[in-house]
Amino acid sequence: MEYNTEDYLKKALLEAQERVRDYMLYSDKIEDEELSAFFADYAENEGHQARKLQEYLKGLQ
């Protein structure tokens, strides 16, 4: 199977969304406040990347 740009964007978006969920879960479960805040910030940054990927994907459609 050969992938095109849309396929790569969809795959990257899905992976970014999964990382956001994972990092938010880590943030909620970790008791260390500094580390919890780090993961919350990391999730927010991944969310920005996911949003950018969505914009690129919409531009193709």
Side-chain angles (χ1 to χ4, degrees), residues 12-54:
L13 176 58
L14 180 61
E15 291 171 353
Q17 291 169 331
E18 289 173 353
R19 284 190 301 271
V20 169
R21 284 190 295 271
D22 288 346
Y23 296 145
M24 286 306 299
L25 178 64
Y26 301 164
S27 175
D28 291 341
K29 298 289 182 180
I30 292 175
E31 293 178 13
D32 181 286
E33 289 183 24
E34 184 177 344
L35 193 51
S36 177
F38 168 79
F39 278 113
D41 186 52
Y42 210 145
E44 184 177 341
N45 289 331
E46 281 293 326
H48 292 298
Q49 296 301 318
R51 191 173 309 116
K52 189 72 168 178
L53 287 165
Q54 283 178 322

